[in-house]
Each structure stands twice: as structure tokens, then as C-alpha cells.
């Protein structure tokens, strides 16, 4: 098979970038008043305006030809039909089945997966309802006031992000906490104000072997037993979400209190499964179903819409354009909504663990850049921190501005100010400020001519810096579901084009292996000659300076 960067479509794009590079977006807007309308898609209550990108209609045609050349259409159908796309782990990739609200059969290994999914949803419904109503009590008969989810990576970031995003829908007298880091500070600071009699722990781990999660889980168990003094209390205060029943029992959690999911659910795609239990407890099962429904609607759009009007496909192609042809190494996610503040972290795992790959599905090293660094923060804070570099630095950083049209907290003109800032940033990035404009501005302010000469270069903005704007009607459960599914499919399509397996994560293994070698050396003061001099020296330093 011809490598993607050797295809005609790729070469055409590389040549086309040379033509587009000198064009200024502000000129393109002037030449075509319909540009924004032509380069917008509205779907699932989300408006994607991608007109502030360094593209012409020909760029989009060439990108779509690339999508056709790699058979994006076939790949999306294969995903939904349960093919084993994750070839290095020999697994299907069926998170779309978890939110298949139309409930039509989805076959995997000759079995319809829907009945199993529906059973777990019912189990989640019963349990979350019981916790919320106070029917599920702790060991001493008191209702639950605090839920602590212990998990890491996909078993933490999805529920954490969604619970925060949907805070306005949360039950006020039930507090949610998330512990992920193996640093004891995380669990101990979380537990400090909690009452063991009214605390419920969800141990969330697909494999139930993850060091951080199990260490935190045992610390939580000891904390509970110290206070309640009876092993029997564990059953009322610990539930598990896992694919590994054997390990769950070994930990001491009754598998009656285990919520199952399946190996065809990737960790970073798992918030739709029982990993979403904290979400269901926080916002109630009806709202959880709405979240699934919103994702399902985006799935249907992704599966059926023509590629030229397909929101995830368009976003994927624009990303490829910048990473592979315009040499952009990073992509900023900038939600202008305080409730979406964990979205950049969530997308960091979703994108970077999926497409941070250096070999193709066939194991051949790639000769072109793949997944970019994903980063960002919420709201206007970034404007007073790192936006300087986005506006005037030397790197090209494509940005996604995400903002709801309606806030959950309408107060005075806060939301108009937030919205104005968001639009101003994308406009400023696109337009920039020319030498003439900068000079005129300084002259008009009465500045003396020598000072103008000194300052002029500092006050020029090159502009032509690309962004997408995503307007969401309001951050409701269903709109949030659609938004997350949009990014999931974008990431999938980019992986298809780069010909990488977006569904494995071998890159996290080496660090885990070496940590398991270093740990006993730290604990037992063993000889550490098997390491390089840096690592050995750092271990020796640790021993010398460790107190007690
Ligand atoms: O180390 C990476 C990873 O495997 C992620 O892919 C996953 O989301 C996370 O660890 C947690 O894994 P588990 O749910 O099995 O504890």
C-alpha cells in the first residue's frame, strides 16, 4: 500500500499549501462576503464556523479528496459495524454502541452487544437512584453525602470533566470528588473533610491493575476501616467499575456491587459506559440518558452526512492541514465556559493517547507528523497569560474557541462580556493589525514620532492565525454529549488518515515497567547499578536525603 504522504492527494495538498501560505484571511473575507455562511455547519445544537481558517474552497476540495482516498466512508461504517479496528489488541471499538439509543442490534463476535449494555444501564439506574434518594445507606444506616471516584486516565478524566460541565444539573446535597494521582496528598486532602459513615467510593479501573488506582483504593479502604472498624462495612461503601471481576473480588468488593464493561470500550472512550456511574449519581439517570442521546445524534450525523458537510470530518481535515502541511505542532482548546474547564485535559488524553503514534497500523515508521500537542484552559484567563504567544509568537497555533450562547449563570452583563472576549480573540487572530493600522493608531493617540518608530514593530500583529469557533446553544447533557462525540470522531478520522491505530496506547507501558523496577530499589535501598548514571544518582540522592 502506498504510504499516505506518497499519494497524489497528499502531494496536491503540499503544493496547494505553497499557494495558500501567502494569502491573508482578512482579504479572503473581503473578497467573499458569503465565506462565513459557506464555511459553517450547524448540527446537534452546535454551530461550527470554520471560516477563520487558512483555506480556500479549493483547499477543502483537496482535503476531501484525501478523505476519499483513505476511504473515510468505509472506515466510519466499519467502526459502527463492530469490526476489530484496534488490531494491535485485536478488539473492536464500540463506544458508539454504548450510546446507541435507537437500540438496533450491533453485532460483535456473533452476539448482539445491546442487551448487555442495557442490563448495565438498568443496574446503573437502580444504583444511582438508590444513592440519590437515600435508600442506599452506609454501614451505619446514614444516607450517602459524598461520592469519591478513584480512577485515572479514562477512568477519571471523562467523569470528572462531565460532572464539572453539568454541575448545574447536580443534586445539591451530594458532593462528587475525584482522586487520581498516586501522590498521597490527593487522596488524603480529599478524605480529610469527609465522614466515612456517609462516603461512597467508586473504584473505577478497566483492568483493575493500575498502580495509582489500587494504591488509592487501599488507602481509602484503610481509612474507612479505621473509622468504622468492621470489614463488613466495605460492601456498603465500595463499588467497582471494571472489566476484571476476578481482581475486583480479590480487592474485597462483592461482584454484586460491580458494574461491568467490555474490552471493546477503550479507556479514553469509556465515559458512556459504567465508568459514567459518578455522572449518573451526580446528575441522575435521566440526564445521563440525555448525554448518551446527544452523543448518539452526533454519531448518526457522523455516520450518514456527506463528508463535505460532516462536522467531525471537516474538523479532522483542518487539523491535518495544519499539522502536516503548515507545520503546526500544537492545537489549543479554548472553552469560554467555566464549567468546561476540564475539557482541555479530557481532550488531551482523548487525542494524544489516540494519535500520539509513530508507526502505521502495519508497524511502519511514519514519515510525517501525526497527533499534535493538545492544550488550553477555560475562559478569559488564558488571554492574560499565554495568548501573547498565540498572537505574536513564532509558532502557528490553530485554536478551537468553544462557547455557549446561553449561560447557566446569567448575571448582569457577564455573559455578553465573555462572549465579546471570545469573538474578539478569534477576530484579532484572524485580522491582526498591519503596520499602517498600528502607526495610525499611535499617531491618533498623540504619541511623539520617535516613540512611534521605537514601538511600531512591537505593535504589529501578523494575524492570519487560524481558529474554529463552536457555538453551543447551552451546555445541557445532550449538547455536551454531542460535543464530546464530535471530538471523538474527529480524532478517529485523523487516525485513519495518518494510518495509525488510534485505539491502543503502548507508549505508556515502558514508564510503568521501569517504575516497577525502581520502586523496590527506593523501598529497600538496593544497589542501583543497572541504571544510567543519572537515574542511579537520583535514586542515591533520594536515599541520602529521605527522612525517617
Ligand atoms: O496508562 C494509560 C491507561 O491505560 C489509559 O489508557 C487508561 O485510561 C488508564 O491507563 C486507566 O486504566 P484503567 O482503567 O485500566 O485503570
Amino acid at each position: 500500500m502506498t504510504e499516505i504522504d506518497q499519494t497524489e492527494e497528499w502531494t496536491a495538498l503540499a503544493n496547494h499549501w505553497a499557494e495558500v501560505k501567502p494569502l491573508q484571511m482578512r482579504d479572503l473575507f473581503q473578497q467573499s462576503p458569503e465565506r462565513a455562511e459557506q464555511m459553517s455547519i450547524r448540527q446537534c445544537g452546535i454551530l461550527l464556523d470554520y471560516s477563520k481558517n487558512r483555506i480556500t474552497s479549493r483547499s477543502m476540495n483537496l482535503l476531501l479528496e484525501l478523505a476519499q482516498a483513505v476511504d473515510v466512508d468505509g472506515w466510519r461504517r466499519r467502526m459502527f459495524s463492530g469490526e476489530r479496528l484496534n488490531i494491535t489488541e485485536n478488539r473492536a471499538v464500540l463506544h458508539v454502541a454504548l450510546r446507541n439509543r435507537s437500540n438496533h442490534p450491533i453485532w460483535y463476535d456473533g452476539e448482539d452487544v445491546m442487551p448487555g449494555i442495557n442490563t448495565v444501564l438498568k443496574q446503573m439506574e437502580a444504583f444511582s437512584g438508590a444513592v440519590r434518594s437515600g435508600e442506599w445507606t452506609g454501614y451505619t444506616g446514614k444516607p450517602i453525602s459524598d461520592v469519591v471516584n478513584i480512577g485515572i486516565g479514562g477512568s477519571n478524566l471523562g467523569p470528572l470533566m462531565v460532572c464539572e460541565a453539568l454541575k448545574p444539573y447536580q443534586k445539591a446535597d451530594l458532593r462528587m470528588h475525584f482522586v487520581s494521582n498516586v501522590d498521597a496528598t490527593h487522596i488524603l486532602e480529599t478524605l480529610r473533610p469527609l465522614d466515612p459513615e456517609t462516603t461512597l467510593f467508586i473504584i473505577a479501573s478497566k483492568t483493575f491493575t493500575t498502580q495509582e488506582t489500587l494504591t488509592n483504593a487501599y488507602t481509602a479502604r484503610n481509612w474507612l476501616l479505621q473509622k468504622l472498624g468492621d470489614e463488613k462495612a466495605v460492601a456498603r461503601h465500595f463499588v467497582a467499575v471494571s472489566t476484571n471481576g476476578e481482581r475486583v473480588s480479590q480487592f474485597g468488593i462483592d461482584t454484586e456491587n460491580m458494574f461491568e464493561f467490555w474490552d471493546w470500550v477503550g479507556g479514553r472512550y469509556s465515559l458512556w459506559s459504567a465508568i459514567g456511574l459518578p455522572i449518573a449519581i451526580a446528575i441522575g439517570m435521566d440526564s445521563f440518558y440525555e448525554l448518551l442521546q446527544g452523543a448518539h445524534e452526533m454519531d448518526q450525523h457522523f455516520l450518514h452526512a456527506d463528508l463535505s458537510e460532516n462536522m467531525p470530518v471537516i474538523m479532522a481535515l483542518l487539523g491535518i492541514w495544519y499539522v502536516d502541511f503548515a507545520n503546526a505542532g500544537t492545537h489549543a482548546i479554548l472553552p469560554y465556559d467555566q464549567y468546561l474547564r476540564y475539557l482541555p485535559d479530557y481532550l488531551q488524553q482523548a487525542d494524544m493517547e489516540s494519535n500520539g503514534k509513530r508507526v502505521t497500523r502495519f508497524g511502519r515508521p511514519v514519515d510525517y507528523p501525526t497527533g499534535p500537542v493538545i492544550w488550553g484552559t477555560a475562559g478569559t484567563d488564558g488571554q492574560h497569560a499565554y495568548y501573547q504567544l498565540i498572537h505574536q509568537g513564532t509558532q502557528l497555533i490553530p485554536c478551537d474557541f468553544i462557547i455557549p450562547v446561553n449561560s447557566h449563570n446569567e448575571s448582569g452583563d457577564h455573559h455578553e462580556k465573555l462572549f465579546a472576549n471570545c469573538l474578539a480573540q478569534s477576530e484579532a487572530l484572524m485580522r491582526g493589525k498591519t503596520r499602517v493600522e498600528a502607526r495610525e493608531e499611535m499617531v491618533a493617540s498623540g504619541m511623539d514620532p520617535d516613540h512611534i518608530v521605537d514601538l511600531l514593530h512591537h505593535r504589529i500583529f501578523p494575524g492570519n492565525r487560524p481558529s474554529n469557533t463552536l457555538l453551543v446553544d447551552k451546555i445541557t447533557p445532550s449538547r455536551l454529549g454531542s460535543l464530546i462525540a464530535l471530538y471523538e470522531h474527529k480524532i478517529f478520522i485523523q487516525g485513519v488518515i495518518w494510518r495509525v491505530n488510534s485505539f491502543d496506547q503502548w507508549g505508556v507501558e515502558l514508564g510503568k515497567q521501569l517504575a516497577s523496577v525502581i520502586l523496590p530499589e527506593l523501598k529497600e535501598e538496593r544497589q542501583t547499578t543497572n541504571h544510567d548514571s543519572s537515574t542511579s544518582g537520583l535514586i542515591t540522592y533520594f536515599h541520602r536525603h529521605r527522612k525517617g
Side-chain angles (χ1 to χ4, degrees):
M1 183 185 272
T2 319
E3 298 299 344
I4 190 66
D5 60 338
Q6 303 300 316
T7 60
E8 273 172 39
E9 290 79 7
W10 193 273
T11 309
L13 280 162
N15 294 335
H16 179 62
W17 171 249
E19 291 161 13
V20 169
K21 201 173 167 194
L23 304 181
Q24 290 293 317
M25 278 191 275
R26 57 155 70 191
D27 297 336
L28 298 176
F29 272 101
Q30 235 162 26
Q31 286 155 18
S32 165
E34 305 84 39
R35 183 175 169 90
E37 204 185 308
Q38 286 164 353
M39 294 184 176
S40 291
I41 305 174
R42 189 174 150 79
Q43 196 54 236
C44 304
I46 301 171
L47 172 75
L48 165 67
D49 176 343
Y50 61 96
S51 60
K52 292 192 186 89
N53 278 291
R54 293 174 69 175
I55 48 168
T56 62
S57 54
R58 179 162 159 71
S59 324
M60 288 319 295
N61 289 339
L62 291 175
L63 285 164
L64 287 162
E65 280 170 25
L66 179 71
Q68 265 141 16
V70 299
D71 190 23
V72 160
D73 183 38
W75 277 96
R76 60 181 172 174
R77 276 186 281 114
R78 265 179 260 165
M79 176 159 117
F80 282 76
S81 64
E83 245 184 64
R84 291 173 189 268
L85 300 189
N86 179 357
I87 49 173
T88 59
E89 296 178 311
N90 194 28
R91 291 174 186 165
V93 176
L94 269 178
H95 45 278
V96 292
L98 299 167
R99 58 220 193 191
N100 169 22
R101 302 307 294 152
S102 66
N103 209 25
H104 66 264
I106 295 185
W107 300 94
Y108 180 54
D109 270 353
E111 200 185 318
D112 177 10
V113 297
M114 291 315 298
I117 290 172
N118 292 330
T119 304
V120 175
L121 284 171
K122 285 283 162 224
Q123 192 194 356
M124 288 168 70
E125 194 173 316
F127 183 72
S128 59
V131 172
R132 286 167 64 82
S133 67
E135 186 195 322
W136 178 280
T137 56
Y139 182 61
T140 57
K142 293 188 181 167
I144 299 301
S145 61
D146 293 86
V147 177
V148 182
N149 187 79
I150 298 182
I152 198 163
S155 303
N156 168 63
L157 286 165
L160 168 70
M161 183 272 286
V162 172
C163 283
E164 186 62 23
L166 298 179
K167 215 173 207 161
Y169 297 84
Q170 274 190 31
K171 194 170 175 344
D173 55 355
L174 203 49
R175 289 171 297 272
M176 308 303 296
H177 311 267
F178 291 85
V179 172
S180 51
N181 196 341
V182 76
D183 183 341
T185 303
H186 201 176
I187 182 100
L188 297 184
E189 282 294 340
T190 304
L191 295 181
R192 214 181 301 284
L194 302 189
D195 176 356
E197 289 183 79
T198 60
T199 300
L200 175 74
F201 293 96
I202 301 173
I203 312 302
S205 175
K206 180 173 169 181
T207 54
F208 227 79
T209 58
T210 305
Q211 184 197 55
E212 293 92 331
T213 300
L214 289 181
T215 306
N216 281 323
Y218 278 109
T219 300
R221 197 173 184 277
N222 290 341
W223 174 81
L224 185 94
L225 290 179
Q226 258 170 27
K227 314 268 168 141
L228 298 186
D230 186 347
E231 286 276 337
K232 286 195 207 109
V234 172
R236 298 303 298 175
H237 292 268
F238 279 78
V239 298
V241 181
S242 187
T243 58
N244 192 342
E246 210 179 307
R247 292 287 186 128
V248 169
S249 308
Q250 274 169 22
F251 178 86
I253 295 177
D254 187 344
T255 43
E256 282 281 296
N257 296 335
M258 168 175 148
F259 297 79
E260 188 195 7
F261 64 115
W262 305 271
D263 72 355
W264 41 260
V265 183
R268 54 194 173 275
Y269 298 93
S270 63
L271 72 87
W272 321 101
S273 71
I275 288 289
L277 185 63
I279 305 172
I281 294 175
I283 63 174
M285 204 60 190
D286 286 346
S287 295
F288 188 74
Y289 284 131
E290 278 176 38
L291 180 82
L292 300 184
Q293 178 65 30
H296 179 60
E297 284 165 19
M298 184 55 78
D299 292 344
Q300 293 309 300
H301 164 71
F302 170 60
L303 182 60
H304 299 294
D306 189 86
L307 300 188
S308 64
E309 289 160 11
N310 197 307
M311 212 185 259
V313 172
I314 297 293
M315 283 179 63
L317 292 173
L318 290 167
I320 299 271
W321 180 234
Y322 294 119
V323 170
D324 292 289
F325 302 99
N327 202 21
T330 83
H331 188 113
I333 303 289
L334 306 169
Y336 276 64
D337 184 300
Q338 191 65 14
Y339 289 128
L340 289 181
R341 71 174 186 273
Y342 293 123
L343 185 67
D345 303 300
Y346 171 78
L347 290 179
Q348 221 167 39
Q349 187 200 12
D351 202 320
M352 293 170 76
E353 206 171 66
S354 296
N355 288 338
K357 307 285 161 68
R358 55 171 286 284
V359 296
T360 65
R361 286 191 293 281
F362 318 102
R364 285 193 290 274
V366 298
D367 233 351
Y368 43 86
T370 59
V373 173
I374 301 293
W375 60 284
T377 47
T380 57
D381 290 14
Q383 292 173 205
H384 299 272
Y386 53 77
Y387 277 42
Q388 163 64 37
L389 186 147
I390 307 182
H391 284 285
Q392 287 189 317
T394 52
Q395 303 190 33
L396 179 77
I397 302 175
C399 303
D400 287 356
F401 290 96
I402 304 167
I403 185 164
V405 177
N406 298 292
S407 168
H408 282 287
N409 294 302
E410 294 291 351
S411 170
D413 62 355
H414 275 265
H415 197 61
E416 283 73 16
K417 284 179 176 154
L418 183 72
F419 213 90
N421 270 283
C422 178
L423 297 191
Q425 289 303 323
S426 63
E427 188 177 28
L429 287 168
M430 182 276 287
R431 286 179 55 84
K433 192 185 284 175
T434 63
R435 170 192 291 263
V436 173
E437 287 167 346
R439 178 180 286 119
E440 275 172 9
E441 201 178 83
M442 287 189 280
V443 170
S445 74
M447 199 179 278
D448 87 72
D450 285 349
H451 204 190
I452 292 180
V453 171
D454 289 345
L455 280 187
L456 186 58
H457 287 289
H458 300 277
R459 297 184 64 157
I460 294 169
F461 287 65
N464 224 14
R465 304 203 167 198
S467 66
N468 292 316
T469 302
L470 291 127
L471 301 188
V472 186
D473 293 351
K474 191 168 185 171
I475 304 298
T476 61
S478 86
R479 296 300 180 235
L480 181 69
S482 304
L483 184 68
I484 303 167
L486 164 64
Y487 276 96
E488 285 180 346
H489 295 315
K490 171 201 158 175
I491 292 164
F492 168 53
I493 292 306
Q494 292 190 325
V496 166
I497 294 172
W498 285 320
R499 298 206 165 129
V500 299
N501 179 2
S502 301
F503 302 105
D504 61 12
Q505 56 284 319
W506 299 104
V508 299
E509 293 305 321
L510 180 58
K512 287 185 193 171
Q513 278 167 13
L514 294 187
S516 70
V517 173
I518 294 173
L519 180 62
E521 294 172 349
L522 292 180
K523 283 183 167 176
E524 296 162 24
E525 252 187 273
R526 279 210 215 133
Q527 274 301 317
T528 56
T529 46
N530 287 338
H531 300 284
D532 55 88
S533 60
S534 163
T535 310
S536 301
L538 295 167
I539 292 171
T540 307
Y541 188 95
F542 175 83
H543 286 309
R544 255 194 230 132
H545 294 267
R546 182 108 168 117
K547 307 254 177 346

